[in-house]
Amino acid sequence: MNQKAHEPASLPVPTADALAASAQLVAQIRDAIVAGGGWLPFDRYMELALYTPGLGYYSGGARKFGRLAQDGSDFVTAPELSPMFARTLARALAQALETSGTCQLMEFGAGTGRLAAGILSALEGLGVGVDSYSIVDLSGELRDRQRKTIEAFGGALASRVRWLDALPERFEGVVVGNEVLDAMPVQLYARTGGVWHARGVGLGETGALRFEARGLDAPGVQLSKEDAALLAQLDAEIDPNLDYVAETHGAGAAFTRTVCSMLTRGAAFFIDYGFPRAEYYHPQRTEGTMMCHYRHHAHGDPFLYPGLQDITAHVEFTRIAEVGVETGADLLGYTSQARFLMNAGITDVLSELDPADAAHFLPAANAVQKLMSEAEMGELFKVIAFSRGIDGTLDAFSRGDRSHTL
């Protein structure tokens, strides 16, 4: 993808209040750069841009999820696109709950609450009892939206939901994370002229934020053993004379390790866009996968409106699988979103609607098509799951499992 700066003139203009909040965040980031000797690793910059209390993209008050730029949102997720997603996912979660003999759910990054409400409602319809539904979300604004969304589905459902400020040491039940891993800060490395550098953030002459490279042994650069091994592998597999940008997923790996270590019985499902390692670090993907989302426009400038736009990277699922298994958890399955939903029975869920009622059936069918189509979300998005105390696999991974590609 092209990571050249996006022209602000082609994007909707933020309000004066939003720009003022962004300026406050930029001032804090500049202070952090100065304190760091004039340079911040990119993962630290990404963390500040997304999660600085009250000002970061996910910890501030900006609206994020929706269908159109006009509603103030930046992107649409599967639960927002169709209630069929939650209802189908609930079938797989129900089997995981029943097979593991557990009765608790936990969701990370619950968005507007539509997924939680849809899952709880669907499980109730399936006759599957859930004692509690815990949500872990850093955004106070999103917590309020989640509460209102869930309450709209019925007070009985809302009474089972609680919001956590800290993770329990042990958890028995089923964990869900939809589009969580892609929002974890990533490290950036750039190979230029055959030499690898850590890509971070510095200040231009006017104080503007900009990319800046440092040698791997320079002050402030912390190169992990895993990243050093990966860069050596890329040199061996990809023409060393080819300039190349690569992300690594230390935060996502640490998060996966924490969740799988916490899970004493049950399963953990993560749904996100990405690839296994061999596809992720492809010779033709020379500029990496980092991208930004603002008002339903995707672009490659992470310094445009800090705090007001999302910054993401595709998930490298091989590393996620490795760290999960290292905790002693079993790899329950890995497949495309389309195959997962098909196996879990999305066509049965859709068939509950009357095709003769075109006003309801056609929009629902079109949304399901977007969830399933290779040209939309069906192939780019993957589902990976880990388990403890579940023998065999689940129906959702019974056909088309791609674990062998990791």
Side-chain angles (χ1 to χ4, degrees):
M1 59 170 276
N2 191 335
Q3 291 186 341
K4 293 181 180 178
H6 202 78
E7 286 295 331
S10 67
L11 297 174
V13 178
T15 65
D17 287 345
L19 287 173
S22 180
Q24 282 185 266
L25 177 59
V26 170
Q28 292 192 25
I29 292 172
R30 287 195 183 108
D31 289 343
I33 292 172
V34 172
W39 188 83
L40 276 184
F42 184 80
D43 60 331
R44 177 58 179 155
Y45 167 76
M46 187 170 170
E47 180 184 5
L48 291 171
L50 297 181
Y51 301 110
T52 295
L55 295 173
Y57 181 74
Y58 284 107
S59 55
R63 181 165 184 172
K64 302 149 187 72
F65 309 92
R67 290 175 174 268
L68 300 169
Q70 289 83 347
D71 63 21
S73 64
D74 299 306
F75 53 85
V76 64
T77 61
E80 306 297 317
L81 188 61
S82 170
M84 301 290 175
F85 179 80
R87 292 177 61 188
T88 306
L89 176 58
R91 291 180 165 215
L93 304 185
Q95 188 181 13
L97 288 166
E98 292 174 341
T99 305
S100 64
T102 60
C103 53
Q104 297 183 90
L105 287 165
M106 180 183 295
E107 183 182 358
F108 286 89
T112 64
R114 283 184 182 271
L115 183 59
I119 287 172
L120 284 169
S121 179
L123 289 176
E124 188 171 57
L126 293 170
V128 177
V130 174
D131 289 348
S132 67
Y133 194 111
S134 300
I135 293 177
V136 182
D137 205 307
L138 297 177
S139 170
E141 180 267 340
L142 283 177
R143 286 188 179 197
D144 290 339
R145 290 184 66 186
Q146 292 156 10
R147 187 175 289 107
K148 292 175 182 177
T149 299
I150 295 166
E151 287 176 349
F153 272 71
L157 296 182
S159 66
R160 302 176 201 169
V161 180
R162 58 177 182 157
W163 282 262
L164 303 181
D165 294 316
L167 295 182
E169 291 185 9
R170 298 164 59 87
F171 180 76
E172 291 190 353
V174 175
V175 175
V176 179
N178 181 61
E179 293 199 49
V180 170
L181 291 171
D182 70 85
M184 300 282 175
V186 295
Q187 296 94 339
L188 288 184
Y189 297 98
R191 187 176 65 187
T192 304
V195 179
W196 285 105
H197 299 82
R199 177 174 280 186
V201 182
L203 299 174
E205 292 182 1
T206 62
L209 304 177
R210 67 179 186 183
F211 278 126
E212 191 170 308
R214 281 194 174 183
L216 298 182
D217 58 353
V221 176
Q222 296 181 340
L223 182 67
S224 69
K225 293 180 180 179
E226 292 83 2
D227 287 2
L230 173 68
L231 299 184
Q233 179 182 345
L234 294 181
D235 278 340
E237 297 179 353
I238 298 176
D239 182 356
N241 296 313
L242 181 68
D243 289 352
Y244 198 86
V245 175
E247 304 103 357
T248 61
H249 298 259
F255 168 77
T256 303
R257 184 178 291 108
T258 297
V259 172
C260 289
S261 297
M262 173 190 71
L263 185 70
T264 55
R265 185 173 186 84
F269 295 77
F270 301 111
I271 306 158
D272 229 311
Y273 44 88
F275 315 97
R277 183 170 295 152
E279 295 179 42
Y280 196 93
Y281 300 112
H282 192 280
Q284 294 181 351
R285 193 169 284 114
T286 58
E287 296 191 27
T289 71
M290 187 274 294
M291 68 174 67
C292 306
H293 298 276
Y294 179 74
R295 298 298 185 264
H296 294 265
H297 291 74
H299 64 91
D301 184 358
F303 309 124
L304 180 65
Y305 306 143
L308 306 184
Q309 66 169 355
D310 193 17
I311 306 173
T312 78
H314 288 48
V315 179
E316 197 264 272
F317 280 105
T318 299
R319 187 167 187 188
I320 299 303
E322 289 172 347
V323 297
V325 171
E326 285 171 4
T327 69
D330 297 318
L331 179 61
L332 190 59
Y334 168 72
T335 192
S336 68
Q337 177 174 289
R339 175 50 63 184
F340 179 88
L341 294 175
M342 183 69 73
N343 290 345
I346 195 169
T347 54
D348 294 334
V349 174
L350 183 61
S351 69
E352 295 172 6
L353 298 180
D354 182 4
D357 184 1
H360 290 92
F361 182 81
L362 289 180
N366 287 336
V368 168
Q369 173 67 11
K370 290 183 179 180
L371 293 174
M372 303 283 288
S373 170
E374 289 188 2
E376 298 279 353
M377 301 175 72
E379 176 58 31
L380 179 60
F381 279 72
K382 310 296 193 308
V383 184
I384 191 169
F386 303 93
S387 65
R388 293 183 193 268
I390 294 179
D391 294 329
T393 188
L394 303 179
D395 292 344
F397 295 107
S398 60
R399 295 179 298 278
D401 184 81
R402 301 184 185 180
S403 298
H404 63 281
T405 67
L406 292 170

